């Protein structure tokens, strides 16, 4: 008697494959900025409620990442940077990714509502909708400004953290939004400059593809110049302080110099040193964002201890 | 009869099952913790439905 079973190892994912659907690295940025938005808000929140709220914001962000991986599996399969993601590599089916995305979205929004308030939950729902539908399904394949408007999705977490405590919006939370919103285009365009062939192959209308690399360099400089006042303005709100002001001045000066150096170069120069300036700018842009939000946290701590 | 020969695929299945168990237990812990916190922050609750509450009578007079 034979008892042979055909086992398809294609669709036998392990737990980590599902976790990878939630884009853990993007989630770390979401957790950090949402946490800062929550801690600088002018009211106390019970630590356990705060912890739960951050968790649900992170799950919501992860759910939108899963929806993005479901919709974009065809693009991800072509690009070297994303080809190993769970769906294009065949470890998780597209249908599973979509189901997990929808289920976790609803779950995260309802739980954030129960843990904090309706306004924060509605903002989280809008963020998921914005990232999964407006950015992923609509703008990404349609306009070279995809990054600019899609960046709004990444800019909402500190506003949600703030709203979880206060139940509303304010100048401070909108400036935190503006900081991430204006930071996203130079950050991604620097990546697009040195990850050249990827977006071409996938036919995603990145600015580098549609308007050329010279235009992209101009745009990086323009957005970095516009970013600086938004970042500095935050220093003069009630959540700003001496640490933030010092960090913002230093980081923006550095960022502006980097953008200027990118702007001055042409493709021959960039290829000669294998995009060293662009890569350094991209790496620094991550420190830039963590630096600003870390400084906000430091000022909040100083205020708590009565030192400022 | 139990399967004796295990395959690499069984490890993956196990990781999924254990992972889901951890998530569910974590979720229970969080809902329980939230409940405790919410009830505590409400403050003192008078839950004695069929007991005379003198302060209500005093206020009414």
């Amino acid at each position: 008697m034979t008892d042979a079973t055909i086992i398809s190892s294609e669709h036998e994912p392990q737990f980590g494959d599902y976790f990878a659907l939630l884009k853990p690295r993007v989630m770390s940025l979401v957790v950090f900025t949402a946490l800062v938005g929550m801690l600088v808000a002018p009211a106390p929140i019970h630590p356990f409620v705060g912890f739960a709220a951050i968790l649900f914001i992170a799950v919501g962000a992860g759910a939108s990442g899963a929806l993005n991986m479901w919709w974009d599996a065809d693009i991800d399969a072509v690009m070297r940077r994303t080809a190993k993601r769970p769906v294009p590599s065949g470890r998780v089916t597209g249908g599973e990714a979509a189901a997990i995305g929808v289920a976790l979205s609803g779950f995260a929004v309802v739980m954030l509502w129960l843990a904090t308030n309706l306004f924060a939950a509605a903002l989280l729902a809008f963020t998921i909708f914005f990232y999964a539908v407006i950015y992923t399904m609509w703008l990404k394949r349609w306009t070279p400004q995809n990054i600019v408007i899609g960046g709004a999705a990444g800019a909402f977490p500190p506003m949600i953290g703030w709203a979880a405590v206060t139940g509303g919006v304010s100048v401070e939370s909108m400036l935190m939004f503006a900081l991430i919103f204006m930071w996203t285009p130079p950050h991604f365009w620097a990546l697009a400059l040195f990850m050249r062939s990827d977006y071409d192959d996938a036919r995603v209308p990145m600015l580098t593809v549609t308007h050329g690399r010279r235009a992209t360099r101009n745009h990086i400089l323009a957005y970095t110049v516009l970013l600086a006042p938004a970042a500095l303005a935050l220093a003069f709100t009630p959540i700003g302080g001496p640490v933030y002001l010092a960090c913002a001045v230093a980081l923006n000066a550095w960022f502006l110099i980097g953008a200027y150096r990118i702007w001055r170069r042409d493709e021959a120069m960039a290829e000669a040193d294998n995009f060293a300036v662009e890569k350094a700018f991209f790496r620094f842009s991550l420190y830039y964002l963590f630096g600003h939000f870390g400084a906000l946290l430091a000022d909040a701590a100083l205020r708590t201890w009565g030192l400022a | 009869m139990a399967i004796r020969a295990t395959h690499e695929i069984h490890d993956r299945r196990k990781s999924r099952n254990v992972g889901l168990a951890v998530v569910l237990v974590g979720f229970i812990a969080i809902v329980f913790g939230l409940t405790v916190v919410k009830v505590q922050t409400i403050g003192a609750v008078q839950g004695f439905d069929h007991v005379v509450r003198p302060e209500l009578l005093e206020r009414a007079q």
Side-chain angles (χ1 to χ4, degrees):
Chain A
M1 194 183 83
T2 56
D3 185 12
T5 318
I6 298 167
I7 300 172
S8 157
S9 60
E10 287 285 300
H11 299 302
E12 200 65 47
Q14 53 187 5
F15 189 73
D17 296 328
Y18 290 122
F19 186 66
L21 280 178
L22 308 183
K23 298 196 176 181
R25 287 181 61 183
V26 176
M27 215 192 248
S28 67
L29 197 66
V30 169
V31 165
F32 181 63
T33 56
L35 182 69
V36 173
M38 182 178 280
L39 292 178
V40 299
I45 184 166
H46 190 286
F48 191 80
V49 175
F51 160 76
I54 294 291
L55 185 71
F56 299 137
I57 294 170
V59 170
S64 65
L67 290 171
N68 168 276
M69 287 201 201
W70 157 62
W71 189 264
D72 276 350
D74 58 330
I75 294 181
D76 288 349
V78 178
M79 299 205 292
R80 197 159 33 94
R81 184 170 68 90
T82 53
K84 288 197 177 70
R85 284 179 175 178
V87 180
S89 67
R91 282 172 293 153
V92 175
T93 63
E96 273 183 308
I100 289 174
V102 170
L104 286 185
S105 299
F107 166 84
V109 169
V110 171
M111 287 309 297
L112 185 63
W113 180 12
L114 294 174
T116 60
N117 56 66
L118 183 56
F119 186 81
L123 210 52
L124 179 64
F126 181 72
T127 306
I128 296 170
F129 171 79
F130 197 92
Y131 185 72
V133 177
I134 302 203
Y135 170 68
T136 302
M137 297 185 186
W138 182 34
L139 293 172
K140 185 174 178 180
R141 297 173 195 230
W142 177 62
T143 163
Q145 297 297 315
N146 48 14
I147 292 303
V148 178
I149 305 156
F156 275 115
M159 270 183 107
I160 304 175
W162 179 280
V165 179
T166 64
V169 287
S170 66
V171 178
E172 295 94 317
S173 78
M174 281 162 74
L175 278 172
M176 284 191 281
F177 174 90
L179 176 65
I180 305 181
F181 181 68
M182 297 303 297
W183 163 88
T184 312
H187 168 77
F188 269 109
W189 283 329
L191 178 72
L193 277 176
F194 64 81
M195 283 293 212
R196 300 187 289 167
S197 60
D198 262 15
Y199 292 106
D200 300 20
D201 297 344
R203 298 174 168 275
V204 176
M206 283 300 269
L207 199 61
T208 41
V209 183
T210 56
H211 290 71
R213 311 174 63 74
R214 181 68 253 160
T216 307
R217 290 173 190 278
N218 298 344
H219 273 72
I220 289 177
L221 182 62
Y223 272 92
T224 307
V225 168
L226 291 171
L227 168 65
L232 288 172
L234 208 46
F236 303 101
T237 64
I239 62 168
V243 179
Y244 181 84
L245 183 61
C247 283
V249 167
L251 291 169
N252 279 286
W254 202 334
F255 214 44
L256 280 167
I257 293 169
Y260 174 72
R261 287 175 67 198
I262 286 183
W263 178 71
R264 251 189 15 191
R265 281 150 70 89
D266 57 27
E267 294 319 303
M269 290 164 77
E271 265 165 43
D273 62 4
N274 199 21
F275 295 91
V277 172
E278 288 79 1
K279 283 177 182 167
F281 183 84
F282 177 76
R283 210 174 310 119
F284 179 73
S285 68
L286 290 166
Y287 301 137
Y288 176 95
L289 203 63
F290 273 103
H292 276 90
F293 279 89
L296 283 177
L297 211 51
D299 275 324
L302 286 181
R303 275 194 302 276
T304 309
W305 298 326
L307 296 174
Chain B
M1 194 179 78
I3 299 172
R4 273 165 301 180
T6 55
H7 186 265
E8 182 260 333
I9 218 167
H10 295 109
D11 291 338
R12 281 189 268 166
R13 247 177 231 170
K14 189 175 183 185
S15 105
R16 234 159 53 202
N17 295 339
V18 171
L20 186 61
V22 170
V23 167
L24 288 177
V25 169
F27 182 57
I28 292 166
I30 283 166
V31 172
F32 181 69
L34 276 176
T35 309
V36 170
V37 170
K38 295 262 167 188
V39 170
Q40 276 177 351
T41 46
I42 290 172
V45 179
Q46 288 193 330
F48 318 107
D49 228 12
H50 302 288
V51 173
V52 177
R53 288 191 282 173
E55 73 270 24
L56 291 179
L57 291 172
E58 283 163 19
R59 212 180 297 155
Q61 280 164 3

